[in-house]
Every structure is written in structure tokens, then in C-alpha cells.
Amino acid sequence: MFELDELAQLEAIRAHPLVRSRMLTEIDGLPIWELSIGAEDETVPTLGLYAGIHGNERIGSQVLLAWLEHTLNCLAWDRSLQERLKKMRIVSIPLINVTGLRNGTRCTSKGVDLMRNAPVEAIKPYVWPLAGQKLSRHLPWYRGQSLAPESQALIDSVMQAHEKASFMMAMDLHSGFGQHDSLWFPYAAHRMPPPHLAEAVALCDLFNTNFPLHDFYHIEPQSINYTTHGDLWDYLYDHANQKRGVLFLPYTLEMGSWLWLRKNPRQFFQRFGLFHPMLPHRLRRVLRQHWTILDFLMRATSDYDQWLPEKQARLSLHQAGIERWYRG
Ligand SMILES: [Zn+2]
């Protein structure tokens, strides 16, 4: 058993009486746990929270675990939260790439980059090998020759959560790209807008109007930044759309670690320094900084019928999304 704080923290959360957990699979003797909080009824609105797809981006798991702890602590007394979680549920996998986390690597112990591993082909233009490559596991962004067990566990868990839910949103926490924090929605594989562009605009505007001082997130389609093969959220999003008429809106939080590097260049030479805030005060700030967006997603999931656009509004919101993100 590897001695990382995140696994001990996960075990403490798993022991909480209001948390249900199940082991999805085990890799090299390391368990991948799925946690559920809130209603046991699987037809309620569902928020999926995921982290640790890239083993060296530990801060994502740490932010998620800290927020889960905070939410469980509040559940002991906060009646409005207790009521909210009676009518929705949270399903979470905080540590997905357990061997990568143990080894301090982005990829799994088999060399696979899980975010290039889904059966999705990018549409040109894309940049090789960043978009994913099948040449060698010894080069970065290796796609693998088949679906990795970690990807399979995530896909099975998300599909099962979506199976009966009346509505589902998801957020997957990462760190590493850029100097600012981004919230990305599909697609990663190409520059075409997703079928739910109207909903992406509605949620973006809802957040920015309600939390104007949290305007540090760049909310946009991932493909504005770069396109890749094998994005798990592209795959799950398309699958959900083909299978059922029930909405599934996945987001990726990409915490901009280049800012931490710029402010503390010495961490360039530290083991997790490229993807992790190393100075204690900055770590604490990053750990608390994203609780607002996580709280917001929980509220937006339980009360989704209050903000989802109606048929007529969808057309103008879709057009607004095209103007905002897809011109030029
Ligand atoms: Zn990542």
C-alpha cells in the first residue's frame, strides 16, 4: 500500500456513516473507490465528481477530497443541505489513476495517458504527439492499444450513474494547462459545437451572474485550446446523448499550474512541482478556491429545472454560443 495522504483521506471519508462506497476495480493491489452521498434513489439528479486521472496532478484529488470532507461536515447541521441531498446524489471517484498517483506519473503503470485512451478519433487539425500517439508507451500522451482498466472503471461508473438519473452533470479536476483556471466542456476531438451549446451558455452565464467575483474561470470548449484523440468525456457525452434523452453535461476543471510555476520557479525542479502548488500558503488558497464552483454545481444539479433553457430560448443561446466560441 503506498503512503500518500490522499488515500488515507479517502479512507476516512469512506468510513463516514453517510457515505456509501464500492470498489470498482483493483490495479496492482490498489483499489479504485466510488463514493456516493445523498439520495439512494438513482432516478434523482446526479452530480459526478472525478479526479486523479493524471497521477501527477494530485491537487485535483486534494481539492475534491477537501470539498467532500467539508460537505460531510456541514451535513451534520445544515438543514438546507440535508434537504438538498435528499433530492439529489453525488457520485465521486477521487482517485482514478491509482498507479500513476503512486508513481508520481501522468500515465498509468502501463504507460497509458487515460485522457487519450477512449475510443474517439480527433478530426484534423491536431498536433502530434500532444493529441495522443500509439507509437510507444515510452513517449508522452500514449493512447494504449486498448481500453485501460482505469478508463473502463470510470466509464462503467459514469454510465451507471447516468442510466436512471433525471439529469446529470459532471466535473473532472485536473491541473497543468495555462496560467488561469479553465472550465472546459466538449468537444476535445474537434472544433464543432456540442448539441448542448445552449445549456453550456446558460450555465456559464448563470455562474458569472451569481458569482461575479469568481470571474477567474475561462469557461469554453476544450477544442479552443487544443484537440485530442481519446478524450473520455467526449466519449461519455456522445454515448449519453445517443442512448437517452436525459442530459449529461461534463466539465473539466483545468487549474492553471503555470501561474504557480511563474510565482515560484524553484518548484520546476521538484517532483510534483510542475502540476502542484508547492508553497503552503498557495496550496491552502488553491484547496479552498474551488469550493464555490463545486457548491454551485451541486445546487445547479439539484435545481436544474430552474435554469435549463426552454425550447425557444435554446435557439438564441445556441447562437450566442456560436458567436462567443466558434467564430474565426
Ligand atoms: Zn490532467
Side-chain angles (χ1 to χ4, degrees):
M1 195 58 66
F2 67 107
E3 292 175 15
L4 276 173
D5 295 345
E6 291 88 343
L7 196 64
Q9 207 177 350
L10 178 72
E11 285 301 325
I13 292 172
R14 226 164 59 71
H16 192 285
L18 295 177
V19 174
R20 302 179 296 280
S21 66
R22 64 177 179 129
M23 193 194 291
L24 297 171
T25 188
E26 228 177 356
I27 296 167
D28 293 1
L30 299 168
I32 301 182
W33 288 105
E34 178 203 76
L35 314 175
S36 309
I37 304 170
E40 292 195 40
D41 177 2
E42 293 181 5
T43 66
V44 295
T46 301
L47 175 63
L49 298 173
Y50 309 95
I53 280 186
H54 292 134
N56 55 355
E57 300 172 14
R58 292 173 59 186
I59 187 67
S61 296
Q62 292 177 5
V63 168
L64 178 52
L65 289 164
W67 182 82
L68 288 169
E69 263 175 6
H70 151 78
T71 303
L72 287 165
N73 287 334
C74 292
L75 259 181
W77 59 272
D78 182 342
R79 269 199 210 103
S80 64
L81 182 63
Q82 291 165 358
E83 288 306 313
R84 186 178 302 286
L85 282 168
K86 279 181 194 165
K87 56 179 187 174
M88 69 166 289
R89 65 192 192 117
I90 297 168
V91 178
S92 181
I93 312 175
L95 306 175
I96 296 173
N97 179 3
V98 279
T99 58
L101 186 71
R102 176 194 61 196
N103 300 341
T105 57
R106 174 181 172 93
C107 59
T108 67
S109 57
K110 298 271 193 288
V112 176
D113 185 329
L114 296 176
M115 258 313 149
R116 304 289 186 275
N117 182 235
V120 177
E121 299 297 315
I123 297 172
K124 285 179 178 172
Y126 51 77
V127 177
W128 191 92
L130 168 71
Q133 52 83 20
K134 285 192 172 177
L135 209 58
S136 166
R137 56 170 286 181
H138 303 293
L139 294 172
W141 304 296
Y142 177 56
R143 297 177 65 188
Q145 300 300 328
S146 58
L147 199 62
E150 297 88 345
S151 301
Q152 188 71 62
L154 175 69
I155 286 171
D156 290 347
S157 168
V158 173
M159 283 186 183
Q160 195 178 332
H162 179 253
E163 178 96 45
K164 295 178 189 155
S166 51
F167 173 82
M168 183 166 175
M169 277 208 286
M171 191 157 90
D172 174 25
L173 291 84
H174 289 251
S175 61
F177 182 86
Q179 296 209 32
H180 51 256
D181 297 329
S182 299
L183 276 173
W184 289 341
F185 56 85
Y187 284 101
H190 53 74
R191 284 285 290 132
M192 284 175 277
H196 301 102
L197 185 60
E199 284 75 11
V201 173
L203 192 78
C204 173
D205 292 352
L206 187 69
F207 181 73
N208 285 330
T209 310
N210 285 263
F211 299 93
L213 300 180
H214 282 71
D215 57 356
F216 47 80
Y217 293 110
H218 288 214
I219 305 176
E220 58 201 13
Q222 165 161 355
S223 57
I224 277 190
N225 299 285
Y226 56 89
T227 45
T228 68
H229 303 290
D231 186 279
L232 286 159
W233 300 110
D234 274 14
Y235 177 72
L236 283 160
Y237 176 64
D238 279 344
H239 180 272
N241 285 332
Q242 283 157 15
K243 189 136 184 279
R244 298 182 65 208
V246 171
L247 271 183
F248 173 63
L249 305 174
Y251 284 82
T252 299
L253 168 61
E254 192 76 37
M255 290 176 254
S257 69
W258 300 354
L259 180 69
W260 311 329
L261 267 175
R262 188 163 59 89
K263 291 198 171 174
N264 181 32
R266 270 180 307 174
Q267 73 180 58
F268 193 84
F269 302 103
Q270 290 167 293
R271 186 170 175 223
F272 288 99
L274 289 179
F275 303 97
H276 198 77
M278 301 305 282
L279 295 177
H281 72 277
R282 193 158 293 126
L283 174 61
R284 287 176 64 83
R285 191 184 306 149
V286 174
L287 281 176
R288 67 176 179 258
Q289 188 168 2
H290 303 289
W291 288 13
T292 306
I293 189 80
L294 288 164
D295 281 334
F296 167 76
L297 288 180
M298 178 168 60
R299 292 157 66 189
T301 299
S302 72
D303 298 336
Y304 69 98
D305 54 332
Q306 296 290 308
W307 62 268
L308 273 188
E310 304 275 332
K311 208 171 182 184
Q312 204 51 40
R314 287 193 82 240
L315 291 174
S316 56
L317 285 170
H318 180 89
Q319 206 47 45
I322 298 288
E323 295 297 328
R324 198 177 294 182
W325 294 305
Y326 294 91
R327 284 269 180 258

